[in-house]
Amino acid sequence: RNIFISQAVANTLEQFYPALAQKIYLNDFTEQEVILEIEQKMTKGEQLKNNFKNRQIITPNDKKALRYILREIYNYENKDEVKVFEDAQHVNLEHILPQTPNKSSEWHAIFAVEEEREKYTHSIGNMTVLLGTKNSSGGNQAFDVKKKIYKTSAIKHNHQIAELPIWNKQAIDSRVDNLYTAFLKIWS
């Protein structure tokens, strides 16, 4: 929450937890005080929601962390019906709106303003995971082509994406909201 979603500097928590452990060891805190200290340190509420909505996934480490978050959400919601494993060679992060769409594609018409297209391309809501080699077959294709791939996925979220008539800003924003709700169920 604090480090990946809110992009807090990691060493702030590295300093906090040992100090808290010291207080616990010295019996300076009750159980309730410990819980309160931790809750006060965690990003939450509207701040967490805004950070989640505005988080841009760009670096390889960002993509690895998001692949983990999506995998956990999908596994939690599927209740072991389909298990998404950790293996990065077989669990690929897919940008629904491609990172480099062809200039003549529908993507440039739907996302006509380049800065806006960049923002939505790297949004958490624009990404899903695909198992196996399905990602490379989707590439920079039109949404109608990608929908066919998503329909064959073992992951329910991909089926939901495939049911949409168009992939635009509203669809991405709605998906961010849905993923945020699922994120809270797991990490609250």
Side-chain angles (χ1 to χ4, degrees):
R1 288 172 86 137
N2 283 30
I3 296 171
F4 179 70
I5 299 298
S6 298
Q7 297 183 288
V9 179
N11 72 356
T12 58
L13 292 177
E14 289 170 2
Q15 295 166 2
F16 168 74
Y17 285 113
L20 183 62
Q22 178 82 21
K23 289 178 182 177
I24 293 168
Y25 178 75
L26 297 173
N27 289 322
D28 285 350
F29 271 4
T30 66
E31 186 178 325
Q32 284 303 93
E33 289 171 326
V34 170
I35 292 169
L36 184 62
E37 281 282 316
I38 293 171
E39 284 178 351
Q40 288 174 348
K41 198 70 170 170
M42 301 309 289
T43 306
K44 56 187 169 287
E46 284 302 309
Q47 182 183 4
L48 180 62
K49 186 174 185 177
N50 288 333
N51 292 346
F52 191 92
K53 183 173 182 139
N54 295 312
R55 181 67 164 92
Q56 295 287 285
I57 308 302
I58 298 171
T59 69
N61 282 341
D62 292 346
K63 292 174 183 178
K64 183 177 179 180
L66 182 62
R67 186 172 37 248
Y68 168 78
I69 289 170
L70 290 175
R71 180 172 51 88
E72 290 301 309
I73 288 171
Y74 295 171
N75 286 341
Y76 176 81
E77 292 184 349
N78 283 327
K79 303 286 185 227
D80 295 328
E81 185 178 319
V82 172
K83 196 75 168 166
V84 180
F85 292 102
E86 192 174 332
D87 184 1
Q89 289 183 323
H90 296 98
V91 179
N92 299 296
L93 192 63
E94 157 75 353
H95 289 75
I96 302 161
L97 161 61
Q99 295 179 81
T100 54
N102 188 310
K103 296 272 187 220
S104 61
S105 72
E106 69 177 3
W107 298 113
H108 279 272
I110 297 169
F111 296 91
V113 178
E114 186 173 343
E115 293 81 22
E116 204 168 66
R117 186 174 59 253
E118 278 295 312
K119 173 188 161 200
Y120 279 98
T121 298
H122 300 291
S123 167
I124 289 174
N126 184 52
M127 298 182 204
T128 190
V129 291
L130 288 174
L131 306 177
T133 58
K134 291 181 189 296
N135 187 342
S136 59
S137 63
N140 293 333
Q141 299 294 327
F143 184 57
D144 284 341
V145 173
K146 288 185 167 212
K147 284 173 33 167
K148 292 174 186 168
I149 296 165
Y150 302 153
K151 282 181 184 177
T152 66
S153 173
I155 300 170
K156 281 195 254 185
H157 275 252
N158 294 339
H159 293 195
Q160 293 166 355
I161 293 166
E163 295 302 317
L164 297 172
I166 188 168
W167 191 252
N168 57 15
K169 293 177 250 185
Q170 294 79 14
I172 295 171
D173 288 339
S174 176
R175 181 161 160 74
V176 167
D177 290 340
N178 293 337
L179 289 172
Y180 179 72
T181 299
F183 175 85
L184 286 181
K185 287 178 185 173
I186 299 170
W187 286 285
S188 280

